[in-house]
Amino acid sequence: MESDISQSGTPAPARQHTWTLAAYCNMVRKRLGGRSVIDLKSIADKSWDIAPGETTVSPPAIYLPGQLERVTGWEGKRFYPYVHPGPTMRGGISVQQGPTRGYLFKDVWLVEGALYKGKASHWLSLKPRTFPTITVDREVDRAAIYCTQNGNTWFGTWLMEDCPTYALARNEGVPVTTAPSARFPLYPQVQAYENWLEMRPLRLRSAFFRELVLFDDLSNNRSRHARYRAMGEKLLAHVAHASHPGVFLLRGSDGDLRLLRNELALAEHLRATRGFRIVNPLKCDVPTIVAACAGARVVMGVEGSQLVHGVNVLQPGGCLLTLQPPNRFVSYYKYLTDRDDQHFGFVVGTPEGDGFTIDIGEVERTLDLFPRHTV
């Protein structure tokens, strides 16, 4: 919004925006049927390509015969356009990776995890409180938001997706992310990673942005690859590192339940037979975690956010071996290892009580399927 001009002809101070009913107007529109609610990016004042898209062909995953037959549940949206994960794991799929795009807006409100402009909205976190605030904490001339709803929900997604977008945001304005709350507190290891990654975001609960930039940065194109690898190099610059056989990242009972009942026995076996390091991210600080993972030729553990600590610093040609619950098969990491020229493998467990077990012999045989120079 431009400053007013006084009678003397000199610019008057810009009006300060101290309150808004944007969240409540949006709630009313939704209750009336939602037909008038539109996505914010569709009304951008300007949009542009930051980096081009490209076509990639996926390599096959590494796994033993009969593994996929054990799978009883999976996240179907992760395997689009396929219903079952089998085709994705077999590889050879031509994928159109879209471009990285920027969107510029003028006069946008942030209210507790959602952006509003007129009838348009865009959610940065899960639904806010029943009675969102009407007060505005801050007014910003030009900001760039790099956080996403998924990144505000899962630590692994924050580190793998939101943090690479920060590199785009700092070039476009003040990097902004949503402020933590009682419902969505700051992940315990965020500040340590931000320090090492040289991230200095402005955390806001509510704000008025005179200009705001958003991004489409979900495609695994070369730009995203380069920014993610640059993050890894920044982390490695803080620790001494040399090549070593591998790291086993314990999950335990943290997060969504994926209880590997023989997790400790498997980890100890790999330490004794192959020289793996064992790390419990819940009991270690970030410097200790990064130092243990740095140089690992293999990163292993139950599929989940804790694996991101090792994937961050896994080098091209390195291996990721995920231990999959049969009722919750997820292949998110395969898209990252495909992008970053690494090898992805998995072993599917068998149900046991409210958890599952993994056959140690199958882990050994799967490791032997990886290229020899990596294991």
Side-chain angles (χ1 to χ4, degrees):
M1 181 179 294
E2 296 180 356
S3 302
D4 296 331
I5 304 297
S6 68
Q7 291 183 349
S8 64
T10 60
R15 290 197 296 271
Q16 294 296 307
H17 296 78
T18 58
W19 65 277
T20 177
L21 293 174
Y24 289 92
C25 292
N26 183 269
M27 291 166 62
V28 170
R29 282 191 289 269
K30 285 188 173 182
R31 288 180 180 178
L32 292 175
R35 296 176 183 175
S36 59
V37 179
I38 58 178
D39 182 72
L40 184 62
K41 290 181 180 179
S42 68
I43 63 166
D45 293 281
K46 176 185 175 183
S47 62
W48 66 99
D49 283 357
I50 297 171
E54 60 193 271
T55 301
T56 61
V57 179
S58 64
I62 296 172
Y63 55 99
L64 297 169
Q67 293 292 306
L68 287 171
E69 286 72 14
R70 294 180 189 166
V71 176
T72 59
W74 56 88
E75 292 190 20
K77 62 184 178 181
R78 292 292 189 190
F79 304 104
Y80 179 85
Y82 303 100
V83 175
H84 190 274
T88 301
M89 295 300 104
R90 287 191 285 270
I93 300 172
S94 179
V95 180
Q96 182 58 46
Q97 307 289 355
T100 303
R101 292 183 57 77
Y103 300 84
L104 175 66
F105 308 86
K106 295 183 179 180
D107 301 338
V108 179
W109 300 96
L110 168 67
V111 181
E112 294 180 353
L115 297 169
Y116 302 102
K117 179 177 180 178
K119 296 180 179 180
S121 61
H122 181 79
W123 298 92
L124 300 171
S125 63
L126 298 178
K127 291 184 178 181
R129 297 181 306 174
T130 304
F131 300 104
T133 184
I134 64 170
T135 61
V136 174
D137 298 333
R138 189 80 171 261
E139 185 169 317
V140 183
D141 286 336
R142 185 179 173 103
I145 289 182
Y146 64 94
C147 64
T148 61
Q149 187 173 114
N150 286 342
N152 279 330
T153 305
W154 296 294
F155 170 75
T157 308
W158 171 80
L159 199 46
M160 289 182 287
E161 295 186 359
D162 289 8
C163 289
T165 306
Y166 180 91
L168 303 177
R170 67 186 176 194
N171 293 331
E172 293 291 347
V174 177
V176 169
T177 184
T178 54
S181 64
R183 185 180 178 189
F184 301 108
L186 200 65
Y187 304 122
Q189 295 159 332
V190 162
Q191 291 184 323
Y193 269 114
E194 285 182 343
N195 288 338
W196 277 18
L197 295 173
E198 300 174 351
M199 296 172 63
R200 303 290 184 269
L202 178 61
R203 288 188 163 85
L204 295 174
R205 178 188 175 203
S206 61
F208 177 78
F209 303 113
R210 294 180 178 276
E211 290 188 335
L212 177 68
V213 177
L214 294 177
F215 305 96
D216 276 346
D217 191 31
L218 294 179
S219 296
N220 286 314
N221 53 37
R222 289 295 93 187
S223 170
R224 203 177 187 209
H225 160 80
R227 284 180 278 120
Y228 190 68
R229 296 329 310 166
M231 282 173 44
E233 292 305 312
K234 281 186 176 181
L235 296 175
L236 289 173
H238 290 273
V239 298
H241 55 281
S243 179
H244 63 92
V247 60
F248 192 108
L249 290 154
L250 299 173
R251 180 172 178 83
S253 58
D254 186 48
D256 295 335
L257 185 60
R258 274 159 272 179
L259 180 59
L260 176 56
R261 292 190 164 276
N262 62 332
E263 183 180 48
L264 286 176
L266 175 56
E268 290 292 348
H269 171 82
L270 293 169
R271 175 156 59 186
T273 62
R274 293 184 180 252
F276 271 46
R277 300 173 182 177
I278 302 174
V279 176
N280 186 342
L282 296 178
K283 297 182 179 180
C284 299
D285 59 17
V286 167
T288 301
I289 296 169
V290 174
C293 294
R297 295 192 293 274
V298 179
V299 173
M300 187 188 303
V302 176
E303 195 287 328
S305 290
Q306 87 286 357
L307 292 178
V308 69
H309 297 291
V311 174
N312 281 339
V313 292
L314 186 63
Q315 294 299 294
C319 306
L320 174 64
L321 181 56
T322 62
L323 308 175
Q324 300 274 356
N327 62 339
R328 194 184 184 281
F329 191 100
V330 177
S331 72
Y332 178 83
Y333 284 106
K334 185 178 188 299
Y335 306 119
L336 301 189
T337 55
D338 289 355
R339 179 195 69 192
D340 294 343
D341 303 315
Q342 297 151 347
H343 305 282
F344 177 85
F346 65 88
V347 175
V348 179
T350 55
E352 184 174 315
D354 59 351
F356 67 106
T357 59
I358 291 286
D359 185 280
I360 293 177
E362 291 184 350
V363 170
E364 290 280 12
R365 294 197 297 276
T366 305
L367 284 171
D368 290 340
L369 294 176
F370 284 113
R372 286 187 177 277
H373 69 279
T374 62
V375 295

